Amino acid sequence: MKLILAIVNNDDSAVVSATLTRENFSVTKLSTTGGFLMIGNTTLLIGAEDDRVGRAKEIIQEHSRTRNKVAMTTGSLGRGIQKDSLEEEVTVGGATVFVLDVESMDKY
Ligand code: 2BA
């Protein structure tokens, strides 16, 4: 068994998790924040049998779009100094996917 950690854009998370659920994957959604841009994103936890990992990654890739967004250049340095920062267009979205080996999974 594997644990898939997929960091996706908030705007894509609903369709990604709905599609995964429709194909009988179990999904947990966490609200997360990127450490660099300090923009909210969504981390999906998906426990899946090894032979289903490829299909989960296909779904995530298919529904995760990259898009341009205006962000503060000093966003990663904290909100306190944002009044001194410049706006800059950056590319966000797509998906970052980690696949981890699972030692065991129990439900009590
Ligand atoms: P953020 O950390 O907010 O990063 C947003 C985007 O900023 C990144 O897009 C990348 O293009 C750029 N970036 C990040 N760190 C940078 C740095 N130190 N110097 C220059 N540019 C940097 P993605 O790579 O697509 O990552 C999107 C989000 O996925 C990240 O949001 C973070 O929440 C997560 N992520 C990506 N790689 C990760 C990793 N190795 N470990 C943990 N989380 C990761």
Side-chain angles (χ1 to χ4, degrees):
M1 185 174 207
K2 305 287 188 197
L3 178 64
I4 303 168
L5 295 181
I7 304 163
V8 301
N9 190 282
N10 282 344
D11 295 339
D12 297 323
S13 65
V15 66
V16 172
S17 65
T19 308
L20 287 165
T21 302
R22 197 162 46 239
E23 295 208 17
N24 292 322
F25 289 98
S26 289
V27 181
T28 297
K29 287 174 70 174
L30 304 176
S31 294
T32 46
T33 303
F36 188 68
L37 292 180
M38 304 298 277
I39 292 174
N41 52 31
T42 300
T43 299
L44 303 175
L45 306 184
I46 307 145
E49 295 304 328
D50 292 20
D51 62 351
R52 301 251 292 147
V53 170
R55 178 60 191 145
K57 289 168 79 172
E58 279 176 8
I59 292 169
I60 295 162
Q61 184 178 12
E62 189 178 341
H63 296 288
S64 300
R65 294 189 302 112
T66 56
R67 44 178 77 76
N68 290 337
K69 185 178 174 76
V70 174
M72 301 301 224
T73 51
T74 57
S76 62
L77 301 179
R79 291 178 189 283
I81 60 167
Q82 279 196 358
K83 65 181 170 56
D84 298 321
S85 64
L86 297 172
E87 289 184 342
E88 189 178 16
E89 190 166 274
V90 293
T91 300
V92 297
T96 301
V97 179
F98 300 89
V99 180
L100 290 71
D101 286 325
V102 173
E103 191 174 304
S104 67
M105 187 191 96
D106 302 292
K107 293 186 182 180
Y108 299 107

